[in-house]
Amino acid sequence: MNRISRSAEEIESVIREYSDMLYRICLVMLGSQQNAEDALQDTFVKYTSRAPVFTGAEHQKAWLIRVAANVCKDMRRFNFRHKHMNIERLSEFCKSEEDSGILEAVFSLPAQYRMVLFLHYVEGYDVGSIAHMADISPAAVKKRLQRGREKLKLKYTEEDFRYEKTPVKTSI
């Protein structure tokens, strides 16, 4: 692939357009604000130094998502012995209050389900696009979506069950 040098205006435009989305992906994959910021920075460094000539905006967006996902995978691999998940300030990054609980539940899932659920339900990508970005088969994406939904359903069912078993005090 041919690589080109990019102008400062083009780089700033790409950062403005994609940084929020890429940050959310990195946050979901890494579970830490600091690690997500580092991964985002590494992604844009790779964009400025290694990005190919893109055929269109979707190609550029898919390339950035794939690079961000790979950077996150590399960071997780590197930090395997030092697991850290900082979700105390998670609600600050949600679009609404209801999203906070859902995002926390997604964080509690194994890493293999987080990215596919986020890309499919939050970013709106189809199974084929996610498979290409994550470098897995479409069948694997479908299975991860299915299992991730099952795990979320189980988690919410268990919570609802706990609340139903709590005795209610009445004043008679």
Side-chain angles (χ1 to χ4, degrees), residues 64-83:
L64 286 165
I65 289 172
R66 187 156 189 176
V67 168
N70 287 338
V71 166
C72 291
K73 287 178 190 176
D74 291 344
M75 288 178 75
R76 278 198 329 249
R77 197 175 302 124
F78 181 79
N79 294 324
F80 182 72
R81 290 185 178 176
H82 308 287
K83 293 180 183 177

Side-chain angles (χ1 to χ4, degrees), residues 1-134:
M1 291 187 164
N2 296 333
R3 286 165 175 61
I4 60 170
S5 61
R6 301 188 186 319
S7 68
E9 295 82 23
E10 182 180 359
I11 293 169
E12 288 177 23
S13 172
V14 168
I15 290 171
R16 271 193 303 278
E17 186 172 350
Y18 297 113
S19 62
D20 289 340
M21 175 199 55
L22 293 173
Y23 177 75
R24 290 191 308 267
I25 290 170
C26 294
L27 186 62
V28 166
M29 289 186 70
L30 296 171
S32 163
Q33 180 181 356
Q34 294 81 13
N35 289 342
E37 290 170 356
D38 290 343
L40 182 65
Q41 183 176 2
D42 289 350
T43 301
F44 285 122
V45 166
K46 289 182 184 203
Y47 172 77
T48 59
S49 63
R50 300 181 192 164
V53 177
F54 298 109
T55 58
E58 282 302 310
H59 179 217
Q60 182 179 40
K61 185 176 181 180
W63 186 90
L64 286 165
I65 289 172
R66 187 156 189 176
V67 168
N70 287 338
V71 166
C72 291
K73 287 178 190 176
D74 291 344
M75 288 178 75
R76 278 198 329 249
R77 197 175 302 124
F78 181 79
N79 294 324
F80 182 72
R81 290 185 178 176
H82 308 287
K83 293 180 183 177
H84 181 264
M85 185 173 283
N86 182 10
I87 60 172
E88 290 88 25
R89 297 179 55 202
L90 182 61
S91 62
E92 294 176 19
F93 305 104
C94 296
K95 293 181 180 178
S96 67
E97 278 297 314
E98 299 87 38
D99 292 344
S100 176
I102 293 169
L103 198 51
E104 285 182 26
V106 171
F107 267 130
S108 70
L109 295 176
Q112 64 187 7
Y113 305 119
R114 287 183 215 153
M115 182 176 157
V116 294
L117 286 168
F118 183 81
L119 288 174
H120 185 70
Y121 290 107
V122 177
E123 295 299 328
Y125 280 97
D126 63 12
V127 170
S129 299
I130 296 170
H132 179 72
M133 287 182 253

Side-chain angles (χ1 to χ4, degrees), residues 146-161:
Q146 176 191 5
R147 289 181 179 161
R149 286 189 299 261
E150 288 169 358
K151 289 182 181 297
L152 286 174
K153 183 178 178 182
L154 182 63
K155 180 175 176 56
Y156 277 107
T157 304
E158 287 174 355
E159 285 181 9
D160 292 341
F161 184 71

